Amino acid sequence: MLNKKEKLPTPEVNFDSAREMSRYLNEPEAMYVGAPGKHGYLRMGFELDKEGKSIMRDLERRAPLIVQQELYFDEKMPEMPCVYILSSGGPNIDGDRYRQDITVKKDAFAWISTGAATKLAEMKYNYSGLIQNIVLEDNAYLEFMPEPVIPCRHTRFISDTRLSVAETATVFYSEIYMGGRKYYKEGELFEYDVLSVCSHGERPDGKQLFREKFVIDPNVEHPRNLGVMGKFDVFANVIVMTPPDKASEIYEKTQVFIDKKNKLAAGITRLPNNAGLLYKVLGMEPAPVKKMVRDFCSLVRLAVKGKEVPAEFPWR
């Protein structure tokens, strides 16, 4: 059994230099930062086999992240491998560090989600960090639609997602953030310490296309303020990198609105450098927001693949 002095090499996921995390650098008393079981790693690679079927050719996983065999259950695209990312470690806690590297080779395609919502537990000493590297080669296609993230009271979470996408490829990358455990005891909305999320896109040659980062610190500016979340509780952020002609087609077919009766709102804008589109949804409950994201994904798939996204499973 390792003691705190017998540390493993420094984790490859490190956000200690981020200004918003400077207050949360204490070593956890139970298990040190990046200890076994707290430093999850996942590498997945998709490519076409000799018969032209898209398969998960490459897989490496380190606890607590788990991925099993790919499935083919999409009724509209039965040829597409579907993968769930699972965790054996429960919620993210103090000192957790995760990294996910996903590659979709030329002409291949895939769908990725999580088995359940990602819970961010209460933290006393440190923070939880995630790095994602998503690479799409020529004419590749990826739908990345994880379940919502739920930050508990005093959560500290930071993530950085790099999207390296060829000009002829398409990635649908979505994130849904809850305000907290809305129905826990007396309610726990926007009581986390800090939520820092960064996404940036580039071409395979390294050309930078865009960068979006939002840092939510309720102690500095409360999310309930006008222009942030206002009266809404759930926020979805969707990045679509796709060729300009496909982006224009999707843009023209996407409805933007503020529905005061059903308490939903959606908006869309173009990413710089002809990179694609940025779509956002606000709502009060996760189910309607998830449906909006899924319907938008269906527009993207119709434009790129000529096929719709099937209805979600009733238990999801």
Side-chain angles (χ1 to χ4, degrees), residues 172-191:
F172 182 97
Y173 176 81
S174 67
E175 298 171 313
I176 300 176
Y177 292 94
M178 304 284 290
R181 294 180 292 182
K182 185 173 181 177
Y183 300 105
Y184 175 74
K185 296 183 179 179
E186 71 279 4
E188 193 181 86
L189 287 174
F190 305 113
E191 295 187 13

Side-chain angles (χ1 to χ4, degrees), residues 133-136 161-167 171 199-211 241 273 275:
N133 295 296
I134 299 176
V135 178
L136 273 71
T161 299
R162 180 180 69 95
L163 301 164
S164 177
V165 180
E167 292 185 9
V171 62
S199 303
H200 44 105
E202 62 183 47
R203 294 302 181 203
D205 61 3
K207 178 185 177 182
Q208 300 298 304
L209 301 177
F210 66 89
R211 183 176 185 269
M241 296 181 66
N273 299 306

Side-chain angles (χ1 to χ4, degrees), residues 139-155:
N139 205 38
Y141 180 80
L142 174 66
E143 294 174 1
F144 189 93
M145 289 196 291
E147 291 292 297
V149 175
I150 306 175
C152 298
R153 181 179 287 117
H154 294 308
T155 283

